[in-house]
Every structure is written in structure tokens, then in C-alpha cells.
Amino acid sequence: NQIWLKKEILNESYDKERTPELIYLKIAGKKIEEKRHLLLCRDLSHKTRVIAQFQAANSEDIIRAIRFSHESEATKWDKDENYRRKVLNSVSMKIQKNRASLIKCAMKNVGKGVADLDAEVSEAIDFVRYYPITLKYFRDRYPKIRYKKKGVVLVISPWNFPIAIPTGGIVAALVAGNRVIIKPSPYSLLSTWKIVKLFLEAGIPSSSLQFIPCEDKVARHLTQNPMIDHVIFTGSAYTADKILNDQPKLGFSGETSGKNLFIITDTADK
């Protein structure tokens, strides 16, 4: 592990990295060729280092993306729960195979340590396996219960858990046949994009999963759009309140302001 860490993270080529990778925006499954504002994804432990550039969605892009998710014809993915389980199992294996590269990316992006990120990748794998198994359990155990999809689900993920939390939100929505738009934190764009990319590579159609990075000032076009049926949000209570004040009838699952205050006195050493 020490040899790998020195080679991949601490080598000189990382300090001298030249042109950051440019990640093109995709709307309705198509790459946007027109010029867009660029979001700079930085190494949060060395904020002068830009590790990637992302095309930012504007208000028109956001509206097109939502409409695509809302209006696209149903695919095999939408109709066949067994097929969804099969594809999600492939996603879990892809995450496992890419464990090292996911850890490496997140270390360079959000500055977390190997041990924390290793556990986070494991949590992401657990999410991808747990939700399909759980849904099948309830269907088999309670056959008379009818289940109804939410529709288009917006996942808003935080910077501090850039792999596990977006994965959990995405899978929770996808497994039931909902369509997902994920708006990542601007501070962890590359880490979250790497995990979303694995979902898409496994065969999840673009109508069911879209990655929409954008500036905060245009994010309201996501949360206030009436075609968004539900939001899965992790972040501050202030932002959660703002979303719900703007859209009081919006379906909302939130984890907010979960940090507790610790007061440490000199007696802690005794």
C-alpha cells in the first residue's frame, strides 16, 4: 500500500500535471459541443491544483435534461425489475474492480485518506447490492402490496462523501424503476463523476441516469421544476428549507446538518 501510495499520489508528475481533463456535458445522452462555462474541480488539499474541468449546465440544458427523463419512452430497464437487478449487480462488480482508481481520484479531489475512502467504496458496493435484495424481499414477502414509482428523482450529493452517498441515492431511486438526475457538489465533481460513469458503462440508459453539474445560481431550475417528482438531498438544513419553501409539495428525502458539536476540555487527557 505504501508503494502504491507513493507511486500514484505522491509522485512528481502529479505536482506538474499540465492540462486538466475536460469532461463534456451530456444532455439527453448527447455531448454538448457548444461552449459552456467551465467548473474547475480542485484538489481540496491543494486548492491551486485543478484536476479536471467540467462543462456547466445552463438553465436551458437543465430543462432539456429533465424533459428527456420525464418524456422518454420506456426501455427494458424501466419495465423489467429482474433486468435492473442484473445490471446493478454488474455495477457492484465494476465498483469493486475500480476500487483503487476510485480511492486515488477521491484522494486527489477531496483530500480524504486511504482508510476512509476504502470504507466508502465498500459502502457504495453494499448500497448497490442491498437495495435490489431488499426490494425483492418485500415483493416476495408481501405480494398483495402495490408499489408505485416516484417518477423523476433528483439526487443532490455532498462533497465529503463523494462516492458512497451519491451511490446510495442513485441506487435507491433506480432499483424501483425511477429515473434519476444527479446534481453533484461542485467540490467533488470528478469523484462523483467517476462513480456515475460506472453505472452508465454497466448499461443503465441515459434516460434513466443523467449527471448534471451546474453552478449553484442555476440549480433552482432543477429543484423548482414541476417535472421533478422527488429529491434525495444530503446537505445543510438551510438549503433543505429553501428547497421546500420554494416547492412545498415536493417529495423530499433529506439528511441535513448531521455534524454534532464536540467540546474538548483539558480533562480529556486525564
Side-chain angles (χ1 to χ4, degrees), residues 216 233-246 252 255-258:
D216 288 343
F233 171 81
T234 305
S236 72
Y238 172 82
T239 303
D241 287 341
K242 192 173 188 312
I243 292 171
L244 289 173
N245 286 334
D246 291 338
F252 190 86
E255 181 183 6
T256 61
S257 300

Side-chain angles (χ1 to χ4, degrees), residues 15-30:
D15 291 333
K16 298 176 181 178
E17 189 174 3
R18 296 182 181 178
T19 305
E21 181 182 8
L22 174 61
I23 310 297
Y24 284 93
L25 180 66
K26 283 190 175 183
I27 301 294
K30 297 179 181 178

Side-chain angles (χ1 to χ4, degrees), residues 137-155:
Y137 170 83
F138 279 104
R139 286 203 188 280
D140 294 343
R141 186 78 177 265
Y142 306 103
K144 294 183 180 180
I145 293 178
R146 292 186 177 182
Y147 299 87
K148 184 179 179 181
K149 300 176 184 180
K150 294 290 186 182
V152 180
V153 177
L154 171 64
V155 176

Side-chain angles (χ1 to χ4, degrees), residues 54-69:
F54 285 76
Q55 285 184 316
N58 59 32
S59 58
E60 293 180 359
D61 295 325
I62 289 172
I63 292 169
R64 282 204 300 130
I66 297 173
R67 185 175 291 120
F68 178 65
S69 293

Side-chain angles (χ1 to χ4, degrees), residues 96-113:
Q96 178 63 50
K97 289 178 181 178
N98 287 274
R99 179 184 291 270
S101 63
L102 289 169
I103 292 172
K104 172 185 172 181
C105 175
M107 285 183 73
K108 290 183 176 181
N109 188 178
V110 299
K112 293 178 74 171

Side-chain angles (χ1 to χ4, degrees), residues 75-78 83-84 86-88 90-91 94 174 196-209:
T75 65
K76 183 178 181 180
W77 168 268
D78 298 297
Y83 178 68
R84 292 198 294 271
K86 181 180 178 181
V87 174
L88 288 171
S90 176
V91 172
K94 279 182 171 291
L174 284 180
V196 172
K197 190 177 178 183
L198 296 180
F199 279 84
L200 296 171
E201 289 175 353
I204 295 171
S206 56
S207 58
S208 292
L209 180 59

Side-chain angles (χ1 to χ4, degrees), residues 2-55:
Q2 292 296 324
I3 295 173
W4 173 82
L5 183 64
K6 184 176 180 179
K7 177 182 177 183
E8 298 292 343
I9 305 297
L10 303 177
N11 57 26
E12 292 183 1
S13 63
Y14 176 55
D15 291 333
K16 298 176 181 178
E17 189 174 3
R18 296 182 181 178
T19 305
E21 181 182 8
L22 174 61
I23 310 297
Y24 284 93
L25 180 66
K26 283 190 175 183
I27 301 294
K30 297 179 181 178
K31 185 170 77 171
I32 299 299
E33 300 288 355
E34 295 86 359
K35 187 176 180 181
R36 291 290 185 273
H37 173 72
L38 294 180
L39 298 173
L40 302 183
C41 182
R42 301 179 185 276
D43 178 343
L44 294 187
S45 63
H46 299 85
K47 292 187 178 181
T48 58
R49 295 176 179 169
V50 176
I51 59 174
Q53 302 175 91
F54 285 76
Q55 285 184 316

Side-chain angles (χ1 to χ4, degrees), residues 179-219:
R179 293 182 168 183
V180 175
I181 293 173
I182 178 161
K183 187 270 182 197
S185 166
Y187 301 109
S188 57
L189 291 170
L190 189 60
S191 302
T192 303
W193 164 241
K194 293 291 185 183
I195 198 77
V196 172
K197 190 177 178 183
L198 296 180
F199 279 84
L200 296 171
E201 289 175 353
I204 295 171
S206 56
S207 58
S208 292
L209 180 59
Q210 296 187 85
F211 178 86
I212 307 296
C214 65
E215 295 180 278
D216 288 343
K217 64 183 181 181
V218 299

